[in-house]
Amino acid sequence: MSEKTKTLPIHEELVDLYLNNLDLITEGSADLLNQHREEAIQHFKLLGIPTTKNEKYKYSKIDNLFTYDYEKYFAPKKITFNVDDIFRCDIPELDTHLALVLNGFYLSKTEKITTLPSGVIIGSIAEAAKRYPEYFKNRYNTLAENDSDGLVALNTAFAQDGIFIYVPRNVAESKPIQIINLLMSNENQLVQYRNLIVVEEGAQANVLVCDHTLSPNRFLSNVVTEIFLGDNAQLEFVKMQNEHNDSAQLTHTYVLQQRDSRLKTNMLSLHGGFIRNNLSVELAGEGADAQTYGLYLTDRTQHTDNYTYIDHAVPNCTSNELYKGILDDQATGAFNGKIMVRRDAQKTQAYQSNNNLLLTADARMNTKPQLEIYADDVKCSHGATVGQLDMEALFYMRARGIGEREAKLLLMFGFVHEVVKQISIDTLRERIDDMVNKRLRGELSRCHNCPMHCC
């Protein structure tokens, strides 16, 4: 695919696109979303698209992703098909509350907002901003780093829709909430949408996000998610990325935790041409706990980059971070993780680990674990490994009659299962185990949930 001939730098062209389509972007959009756009586009105008000179993006060439011709839609396209006819969920036996997003816009068969019997609200963020402004005040766009990350500012300026989830005080929602993001178009497409998740004091929820492509065109997604956990709230947030090799996904997830809240995140990158995941967690209330996990399986010329920032802002908080990856063929990867312990954050316990397997001499992995500590009464550690399969373990297994290929697969599966087993939902964990096993065997070489076989 040929690159577009540019008459302006990429970021200037995007600024012009915003100015020329401002009426379409703001039309029908809530004031709560629109009031942040002007400042955001000014930030983007100054920051531009991050380059490798930016330390946070040192190992990923983001600007190259924007050099293709993309269609940019400012209203949801009408569909003439039934999504159920062409999309099958990877986990059909999982009983969930389901929300669909198609090309960045909430897809509803009936209402744009659903209120469950428990009082939990799920639906379009554009509609929710109009109906429930009290839930957005002092939350929407307060965690997003518009003034330091050009991609985040770009999303704030352009985003029109996405998902809103609200879990009321002391409500424990038993069913997981599943968000399925679908990309489908006859043209290359740039997609930008926004998510806001609020879990009030004493509430509990499980959120599963699944990303899929349903057509063979080139897609670039730039997504921002803001998550708020009240005192003693609990959230398990699982994101599964399973898109084709002509897709690029840039995600930015921000979490603010209050006193005694419990967070567990699991970023599962099973397939995708280019993936960049940013995760920022602020432990702002004493007793808060954050458990963050990640898994990435890459081959061919795929690239996966994870950037994490865990901020211990107050005393007596704990965090544990474990990211693991397997890279094959000419795949490349990066992990850049930082734990910040503020001066007053005494009694902090924070641990970080990144482990990687390279299956070929051509695979490359860059890893940079970091600790920045300003308190003196803490327990912290960090580390990283990049290596090959354990030859002694392989010899041991072969000596007991296990074939070489099967022995290698068992070793790789055991290596990554340490991340997968952290998923608390039994049905989901078993299905992810099966998908990982297929991916390692080369059976998950496309978006297998789609019967179109477009790739």
Side-chain angles (χ1 to χ4, degrees):
M1 186 178 297
S2 62
E3 293 186 353
K4 182 177 180 179
T5 302
K6 299 290 181 183
T7 57
L8 289 172
I10 298 171
H11 74 279
E12 291 186 18
E13 186 175 280
L14 288 167
V15 171
D16 283 353
L17 178 72
Y18 170 84
L19 296 174
N20 293 333
N21 294 276
L22 185 56
D23 290 342
L24 294 175
I25 295 171
T26 59
E27 182 181 1
S29 184
D31 291 340
L32 282 167
L33 276 60
N34 290 336
Q35 67 186 18
H36 299 281
R37 299 188 192 277
E38 178 59 30
E39 184 179 15
I41 200 65
Q42 293 304 320
H43 283 308
F44 176 73
K45 191 174 181 179
L46 292 173
L47 296 167
I49 297 169
T51 68
T52 53
K53 294 180 181 179
N54 184 322
E55 189 64 26
K56 288 173 59 175
Y57 290 89
K58 182 177 180 180
Y59 305 111
S60 294
K61 295 182 178 180
I62 303 293
D63 50 343
N64 288 353
L65 303 174
F66 286 83
T67 59
Y68 295 89
D69 279 315
Y70 294 106
E71 291 296 326
K72 298 94 175 175
Y73 296 114
F74 303 111
K77 293 191 70 176
K78 292 183 179 180
I79 59 174
T80 57
F81 57 88
N82 186 347
V83 173
D84 296 332
D85 294 337
I86 62 171
F87 174 79
R88 294 193 301 269
C89 178
D90 285 312
I91 317 162
E93 63 273 23
L94 184 62
D95 186 18
T96 65
H97 299 295
L98 187 62
L100 289 175
V101 177
L102 178 63
N103 299 333
F105 290 92
Y106 183 77
L107 184 61
S108 174
K109 295 180 180 179
T110 54
E111 298 294 327
K112 291 186 176 182
I113 294 287
T114 299
T115 301
L116 305 179
S118 61
V120 173
I121 300 170
I122 309 169
S124 159
I125 193 172
E127 183 67 20
K130 298 175 184 177
R131 293 196 199 180
Y132 309 107
E134 65 275 19
Y135 300 149
F136 281 71
K137 187 178 180 181
N138 300 324
R139 286 180 175 135
Y140 180 79
N141 203 42
T142 59
L143 303 182
E145 299 173 316
N146 295 287
D147 58 348
S148 61
D149 192 318
L151 294 174
V152 176
L154 184 67
N155 174 278
T156 301
F158 277 89
Q160 295 171 278
D161 205 1
I163 291 291
F164 172 72
I165 298 173
Y166 178 80
V167 186
R169 183 177 178 178
N170 295 327
V171 169
E173 179 52 54
S174 57
K175 266 191 190 182
I177 300 168
Q178 185 177 13
I179 303 169
I180 298 180
N181 296 312
L182 302 176
L183 297 175
M184 184 175 183
S185 177
N186 294 325
E187 305 151 310
N188 300 335
Q189 193 164 345
L190 171 62
V191 175
Q192 304 194 74
Y193 54 95
R194 194 70 168 236
N195 302 315
L196 176 62
I197 300 173
V198 179
V199 184
E200 295 283 19
E201 178 183 349
Q204 300 177 30
N206 294 284
V207 176
L208 167 63
V209 181
C210 304
D211 300 322
H212 302 285
T213 42
L214 298 183
S215 54
N217 298 84
R218 183 175 292 276
F219 294 96
L220 172 57
S221 301
N222 181 34
V223 185
V224 173
T225 301
E226 293 176 294
I227 300 174
F228 294 83
L229 301 185
D231 292 351
N232 202 35
Q234 296 184 38
L235 174 68
E236 181 169 1
F237 182 83
V238 180
K239 185 174 179 65
M240 185 179 67
Q241 297 166 311
N242 182 27
E243 299 182 344
H244 63 51
N245 284 333
D246 279 333
S247 69
Q249 187 172 139
L250 312 172
T251 74
H252 319 266
T253 304
Y254 297 94
V255 186
L256 179 66
Q257 293 187 241
Q258 301 296 348
R259 179 179 55 81
D260 295 326
S261 60
R262 299 288 180 267
L263 170 73
K264 181 185 286 187
T265 66
N266 209 318
M267 301 289 185
L268 306 169
S269 303
L270 300 186
H271 206 278
F274 187 106
I275 296 173
R276 162 73 183 207
N277 293 320
N278 294 338
L279 173 64
S280 178
V281 179
E282 180 182 351
L283 295 97
E286 289 197 42
D289 175 78
Q291 305 289 317
T292 57
Y293 302 94
L295 169 63
Y296 41 98
L297 307 176
T298 60
D299 58 15
R300 302 186 184 180
T301 58
Q302 294 174 349
H303 177 80
T304 301
D305 182 357
N306 285 286
Y307 174 86
T308 66
Y309 181 73
I310 310 299
D311 186 358
H312 285 260
V314 297
N316 299 304
C317 292
T318 57
S319 68
N320 182 50
E321 188 174 4
L322 176 62
Y323 276 68
K324 286 194 167 189
I326 299 179
L327 294 83
D328 202 356
D329 302 326
Q330 293 84 43
T332 56
F335 174 82
N336 188 347
K338 184 174 183 178
I339 297 175
M340 169 68 74
V341 182
R342 303 288 178 180
R343 189 175 304 278
D344 295 329
Q346 305 295 343
K347 304 295 183 181
T348 287
Q349 295 186 48
Y351 308 99
Q352 181 189 84
S353 181
N354 174 232
N355 306 117
N356 304 276
L357 288 179
L358 304 184
L359 302 185
T360 69
D362 295 323
R364 293 287 184 270
M365 181 67 196
N366 295 287
T367 181
K368 186 181 178 182
Q370 304 171 72
L371 276 174
E372 191 169 335
I373 303 174
Y374 296 97
D376 51 16
D377 186 8
V378 301
K379 293 181 180 179
C380 299
S381 68
H382 70 304
T385 61
V386 179
Q388 292 77 41
L389 288 171
D390 187 338
M391 290 297 102
E392 290 188 7
L394 184 62
F395 176 80
Y396 178 88
M397 296 175 72
R398 295 203 64 195
R400 279 149 183 78
I402 301 175
E404 181 178 5
R405 181 174 184 272
E406 193 65 25
K408 288 182 177 180
L409 288 169
L410 287 172
L411 287 175
M412 288 188 288
F413 184 80
F415 175 78
V416 300
H417 184 67
E418 188 177 1
V419 173
V420 178
K421 73 178 183 181
Q422 303 299 331
I423 299 172
S424 64
I425 305 170
D426 293 339
T427 305
L428 175 60
R429 183 177 61 253
E430 292 168 4
R431 183 63 179 123
I432 295 296
D433 264 340
D434 181 59
M435 293 178 66
V436 168
N437 189 31
K438 289 182 178 180
R439 179 72 170 102
L440 293 174
R441 293 177 182 275
E443 298 172 11
L444 194 60
S445 58
R446 62 179 181 86
C447 295
H448 71 295
N449 60 300
C450 173
M452 296 176 67
H453 296 269
C454 58
C455 294

